[in-house]
Amino acid sequence: GAVVSQHPSRVICKSGTSVKIECRSLDFQATTMFWYRQFPKQSLMLMATSNEGSKATYEQGVEKDKFLINHASLTLSTLTVTSAHPEDSSFYICSARDPGLGVTDTQYFGPGTRLTVL
Amino acid sequence: GESVGLHLPTLSVQEGDNSIINCAYSNSASDYFIWYKQESGKGPQFIIDIRSNMDKRQGQRVTVLLNKTVKHLSLQIAATQPGDSAVYFCAENFNFNKFYFGSGTKLNVKP
């Protein structure tokens, strides 16, 4: 299957700082990527859809000014958590669909980024 | 047997037995479903998918059943192995490539 990477895998930051997480599709071009957040022992919650060359679309209840998304190329989407607070500590996961696979809508997930805000 | 934990229900099975993991999805308009496996600290891994025009699909050691009447999915794992221990999520697609995940089931395989 298609490979999606994330960087960093783990980050610890102080409250009030901003953190950038990168999501890359390694062997395919992704016009659309998705960002999820997962709290311990809970399911993945879709935060936003990242569209190459246009604005991201956010799910209800997700603050667009808090979670800035940039999808500047067909292989890279970034999520910036601005002015992070301890309640933003979570596991952030991105996914991408490989349109080159044809009719499948399968999404492939990155390995996730563990964010801890002190 | 199956028990309900703090957030995730847990299914414990003996190595070699078959496992059945169930999922209720929310939207009758959903037309595509995927089962994912997630190991601790890792991203979800694709297992098997099924479209709404099918009611059964088989893969290697896994089978997915879809009952649209009651909005229910199940994942059957044959001859469960210790390496199958993980959390399993079903995901439904009803809004152009957006996937919404179920609450998950933790599978614990006892050697």
Side-chain angles (χ1 to χ4, degrees):
Chain A
V3 180
V4 177
S5 71
Q6 283 184 241
H7 177 80
S9 58
R10 186 179 294 266
V11 57
I12 301 172
C13 69
K14 292 182 179 180
S15 185
T17 61
S18 294
V19 175
K20 180 185 285 188
I21 302 170
E22 294 184 347
C23 176
R24 293 182 186 274
S25 55
L26 295 186
D27 50 0
F28 65 100
Q29 294 182 327
T31 54
T32 304
M33 292 182 174
F34 303 87
W35 286 97
Y36 294 81
R37 180 168 52 180
Q38 186 179 31
F39 293 107
K41 296 187 178 181
Q42 294 189 26
S43 186
L44 283 75
M45 297 298 296
L46 179 64
M47 298 174 66
T49 303
S50 173
N51 304 295
E52 189 269 334
S54 64
K55 291 183 178 180
T57 54
Y58 291 80
E59 294 298 298
Q60 192 172 9
V62 178
E63 301 174 57
K64 62 178 71 174
D65 295 330
K66 171 79 173 174
F67 300 98
L68 300 179
I69 291 173
N70 185 285
H71 195 153
S73 78
L74 287 170
T75 59
L76 173 65
S77 174
T78 61
L79 169 69
T80 301
V81 183
T82 62
S83 187
H85 291 284
E87 58 265 29
D88 298 323
S89 298
S90 188
F91 194 48
Y92 291 87
I93 311 172
C94 71
S95 72
R97 188 177 71 89
D98 183 356
L101 294 178
V103 298
T104 181
D105 296 314
T106 303
Q107 289 187 16
Y108 294 94
F109 283 81
T113 297
R114 172 76 60 193
L115 170 63
T116 302
V117 185
L118 303 177
Chain B
E2 188 171 354
S3 63
V4 177
L6 186 60
H7 290 290
L8 285 174
T10 299
L11 176 64
S12 294
V13 299
Q14 205 69 39
E15 180 179 0
D17 287 351
N18 297 332
S19 302
I20 299 177
I21 300 172
N22 297 303
C23 173
Y25 63 91
S26 60
N27 196 315
S28 57
S30 294
D31 58 4
Y32 181 56
F33 306 86
I34 299 179
W35 276 101
Y36 286 97
K37 171 186 180 183
Q38 186 179 30
E39 296 175 340
S40 181
K42 297 183 179 180
Q45 176 186 354
F46 173 90
I47 300 175
I48 191 168
D49 59 357
I50 190 169
R51 293 201 173 273
S52 58
N53 61 352
M54 304 172 68
D55 52 22
K56 180 179 180 179
R57 188 154 190 242
Q58 287 185 288
Q60 188 177 14
R61 270 201 318 121
V62 294
T63 301
V64 55
L65 299 177
L66 173 62
N67 185 330
K68 294 182 290 294
T69 302
V70 295
K71 294 189 289 186
H72 183 268
L73 272 170
S74 68
L75 175 69
Q76 300 177 2
I77 304 174
T80 314
Q81 302 167 0
D84 295 327
S85 294
V87 177
Y88 291 79
F89 294 98
C90 68
E92 62 181 305
N93 180 341
F94 61 87
N95 190 358
F96 189 65
N97 287 331
K98 290 186 182 181
F99 279 89
Y100 295 92
F101 280 71
S103 56
T105 297
K106 183 176 181 180
L107 177 64
N108 179 32
V109 182
K110 297 177 285 187

